[in-house]
């Protein structure tokens, strides 16, 4: 992604109201050729209380990004899925089974990544499955690894699926990424049977303050909608879906990393006459999350200030949302950075703040201090540096 884009103001994606309360201003540095956002405003709708990112590009920019920059491909079939993903998806399958008794149901997962959830459903006896993902590489993996039909596409265009043919659509970690929610929900309505269901799993913005992650990590480069249970219900009501079940849970996404989530089932409803209710809980608790993040971030800024003042050459390992935010908002951009390291091959060879992003293997003859700039993968990276790469470099951890 090398092109520039025009930012657009958003009316509320749920009620279309245009008056908003500013909660937080997010900003990022961008990686050359593959960056998405350099920032946005976190706002709350003054009419319904839905919280979302404002001043962002149009839906086509997001669709292209997820097609070109998917981070889920694992082309080596010997690579095992994360234990955290397996447990999360096993819990989701149990939840689905309690709401979907017919093993012959036609089930479509949109945003299926490499197909782990679909494979668990298949192992449980569900045979009429389809995966859809923006990434052609992911589609190929689902087809080859699990022999489950899969197609390249997005939630914004489901025209390859016959209208009113689907019993259940699964959206795991999808709706928080979608700018045009009206278009997405209209597409779901078209392909679902008259009493078809939607299973939605999304981060729970009303409980962000109870999670464990890097400060402001929930306001990531990719997340642009911040749902609580009430605002999710409001969105679904608007598009004539009735609530069957909503559960608030906490999933362990990685070591010592906890994400509050909403796990829900809605059914297509011809009536759809329930009214929208103001989501005060999410507005209040998102403000609490922001305050807590500012407090936690102070200790990180203190460590970064010391790195900057020492001005010794450093290598920064990790080019995710935390690094991009720190480069834009702290003294980290003034430090004596000689290289960035990232294991994602799609970032390697690009530049961040005009400094090269290199492969971990390129550190072989490097003696500089390594700053690990990630919370979730901090221990994993430290192990990789010491045990896999056998490096003796000094390591600085932010957590």
């Amino acid at each position: 992604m090398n092109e520039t884009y025009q930012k657009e103001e958003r009316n509320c994606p749920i009620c279309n109201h245009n008056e908003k309360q500013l909660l937080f201003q997010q900003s990022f540095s961008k990686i050359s050729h593959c960056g998405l956002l350099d920032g946005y405003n976190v706002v709350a709708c003054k009419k319904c209380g839905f919280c979302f990112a404002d001043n962002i590009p149009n839906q086509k920019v997001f669709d292209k990004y997820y097609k070109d920059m998917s981070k889920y491909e694992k082309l080596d079939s010997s690579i095992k899925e994360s234990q955290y993903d397996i447990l999360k998806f096993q819990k989701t399958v149990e939840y689905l089974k309690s709401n979907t008794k017919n093993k012959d149901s036609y089930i479509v997962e949109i945003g299926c990544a490499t197909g782990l959830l679909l494979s668990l459903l298949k192992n449980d006896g569900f045979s009429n499955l389809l995966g859809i993902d923006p990434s052609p590489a992911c589609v190929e993996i689902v087809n080859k690894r699990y022999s489950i039909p899969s197609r390249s596409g997005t939630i914004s265009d489901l025209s390859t699926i016959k209208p009113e043919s689907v019993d259940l659509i699964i959206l795991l970690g999808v709706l928080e990424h979608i700018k045009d929610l009206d278009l997405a929900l209209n597409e779901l309505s078209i392909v679902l049977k008259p009493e078809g269901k939607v299973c939605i799993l999304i981060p729970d913005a009303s409980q962000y303050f109870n999670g464990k992650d890097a400060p402001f990590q929930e306001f990531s480069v990719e997340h642009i909608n911040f749902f609580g249970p009430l605002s999710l219900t409001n969105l679904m009501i608007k598009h004539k879906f009735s609530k069957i079940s909503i559960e608030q849970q906490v999933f362990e996404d990685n070591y010592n990393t906890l994400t509050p989530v909403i796990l829900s089932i809605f059914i297509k409803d011809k009536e759809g006459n329930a009214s929208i209710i103001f989501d005060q809980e999410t507005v209040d608790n998102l403000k609490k999350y922001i305050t807590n993040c500012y407090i936690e971030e102070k200790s990180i800024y203190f460590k970064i200030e010391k790195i900057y003042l020492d001005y010794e050459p450093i290598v920064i390992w990790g080019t995710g949302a935390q690094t991009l935010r720190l480069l834009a908002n702290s003294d980290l951009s003034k430090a004596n950075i000689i290289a960035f390291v990232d294991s994602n091959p799609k970032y390697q060879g690009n530049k961040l703040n005009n400094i090269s992003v290199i492969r971990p293997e390129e550190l072989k003859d490097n003696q500089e201090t390594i700053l690990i700039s990630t919370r979730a993968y901090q221990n994993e990276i430290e192990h990789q540096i010491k045990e896999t790469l056998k490096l003796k470099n000094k390591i600085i951890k932010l957590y």
Side-chain angles (χ1 to χ4, degrees):
M1 296 211 32
N2 194 20
E3 69 272 20
T4 58
Y5 54 77
Q6 184 69 37
K7 291 186 177 182
E8 302 172 352
E9 287 195 20
R10 301 170 79 186
N11 286 353
C12 175
I14 294 179
C15 71
N16 202 39
H17 196 63
N18 62 4
E19 291 189 34
K20 297 158 280 192
Q21 176 188 4
L22 178 64
L23 304 180
F24 181 73
Q25 290 181 298
Q26 180 64 293
S27 55
F28 303 105
S29 290
K30 287 180 66 176
I31 301 177
S32 63
H33 305 292
C34 57
L36 176 59
L37 300 175
D38 61 5
Y40 51 77
N41 295 334
V42 179
V43 299
C45 174
K46 290 188 176 181
K47 184 175 181 181
C48 75
F50 181 50
C51 301
F52 57 95
D54 196 17
N55 292 322
I56 58 175
N58 63 41
Q59 187 63 54
K60 290 182 179 179
V61 173
F62 285 94
D63 290 344
K64 177 173 172 36
Y65 173 82
Y66 291 117
K67 177 181 178 181
D68 296 341
M69 296 302 301
S70 171
K71 57 190 175 185
Y72 298 106
E73 296 100 326
K74 296 176 181 176
L75 300 176
D76 183 350
S77 60
S78 67
I79 295 177
K80 295 182 179 180
E81 302 286 357
S82 158
Q83 61 175 318
Y84 303 101
D85 285 343
I86 292 172
L87 182 59
K88 176 172 66 177
F89 289 142
Q90 284 174 339
K91 290 181 179 179
T92 305
V93 167
E94 291 304 312
Y95 180 76
L96 283 167
K97 285 164 59 181
S98 67
N99 289 280
T100 308
K101 305 299 183 183
N102 185 359
K103 294 292 180 73
D104 294 323
S105 297
Y106 182 27
I107 299 175
V108 177
E109 184 184 7
I110 301 171
C112 64
T114 52
L116 175 57
L117 178 72
L118 290 173
S119 73
L120 295 175
L121 287 170
K122 183 178 179 179
N123 292 342
D124 221 297
F126 291 92
S127 57
N128 196 7
L129 304 171
L130 174 67
I132 293 179
D133 197 89
S135 165
C138 283
V139 169
E140 182 181 357
I141 292 168
V142 178
N143 287 326
K144 288 185 175 180
R145 184 181 295 179
Y146 301 118
S147 298
I148 296 174
S150 187
R151 304 174 189 168
S152 181
T154 71
I155 194 173
S156 303
D157 181 7
L158 302 178
S159 58
T160 59
I161 301 176
K162 183 180 176 181
E164 296 192 352
S165 65
V166 180
D167 294 291
L168 172 67
I169 289 176
I170 301 172
L171 304 172
L172 301 190
V174 173
L175 288 186
E176 67 269 29
H177 300 269
I178 304 300
K179 181 182 181 184
D180 196 335
L181 290 170
D182 281 345
L183 175 60
L185 270 293
N186 288 338
E187 289 290 303
L188 300 187
S189 295
I190 290 171
V191 301
L192 279 170
K193 291 179 178 178
E195 293 187 351
K197 298 175 182 177
V198 183
C199 174
I200 300 170
L201 186 147
I202 51 175
D204 185 356
S206 74
Q207 297 299 309
Y208 282 170
F209 68 96
N210 279 326
K212 284 186 179 181
D213 210 331
F216 299 108
Q217 192 71 13
E218 295 295 352
F219 299 148
S220 75
V221 179
E222 300 178 357
H223 290 186
I224 56 174
N225 300 311
F226 312 110
F227 291 98
L230 186 53
S231 51
L232 175 61
T233 302
N234 286 340
L235 173 69
M236 302 307 287
I237 284 172
K238 175 186 177 183
H239 290 274
K240 298 186 177 180
F241 286 87
S242 296
K243 178 178 66 177
I244 293 179
S245 169
I246 281 191
E247 294 184 6
Q248 291 175 282
Q249 300 187 15
V250 177
F251 283 171
E252 188 174 12
D253 281 334
N254 213 296
Y255 173 74
N256 200 30
T257 301
L258 303 177
T259 301
V261 300
I262 301 166
L263 191 54
S264 61
I265 295 277
F266 291 85
I267 187 168
K268 191 174 173 181
D269 181 0
K270 290 182 180 179
E271 302 301 325
N273 54 6
S275 58
I276 290 177
I277 302 172
F278 192 89
D279 188 2
Q280 188 67 55
E281 178 187 32
T282 301
V283 176
D284 291 343
N285 286 348
L286 210 52
K287 291 177 181 178
K288 183 176 180 180
Y289 168 73
I290 291 167
T291 299
N292 291 349
C293 286
Y294 275 127
I295 295 170
E296 184 180 358
E297 200 171 50
K298 286 182 179 179
S299 64
I300 295 173
Y301 278 19
F302 179 78
K303 292 180 181 180
I304 289 172
E305 182 182 26
K306 185 177 186 305
I307 292 170
Y308 158 59
L309 293 175
D310 288 345
Y311 210 67
E312 294 180 2
I314 62 166
V315 172
I316 297 180
W317 191 310
T319 61
Q322 175 182 265
T323 300
L324 301 181
R325 170 172 166 75
L326 291 176
L327 287 170
N329 296 278
S330 75
D331 287 332
L332 188 61
S333 62
K334 303 174 186 176
N336 188 9
I337 305 167
I338 65 166
F340 292 93
V341 177
D342 204 285
S343 297
N344 188 334
K346 293 187 177 180
Y347 296 155
Q348 295 161 5
N350 293 308
K351 290 184 180 294
L352 178 52
N353 282 19
N354 292 315
I355 300 166
S356 296
V357 181
I358 63 176
R359 297 178 295 113
E361 294 75 15
E362 294 181 66
L363 288 176
K364 183 177 180 181
D365 299 318
N366 187 290
Q367 304 299 318
E368 279 74 22
T369 297
I370 300 173
L371 169 65
I372 301 176
S373 181
T374 172
R375 185 185 185 279
Y377 299 100
Q378 177 174 272
N379 292 348
E380 184 179 316
I381 291 172
E382 183 178 24
H383 183 271
Q384 184 177 355
I385 293 169
K386 293 179 177 180
E387 304 301 327
T388 305
L389 297 174
K390 306 293 185 183
L391 299 178
K392 303 299 183 182
N393 304 55
K394 177 184 174 182
I395 295 174
I396 297 176
K397 298 186 288 186
L398 295 177
Y399 303 93

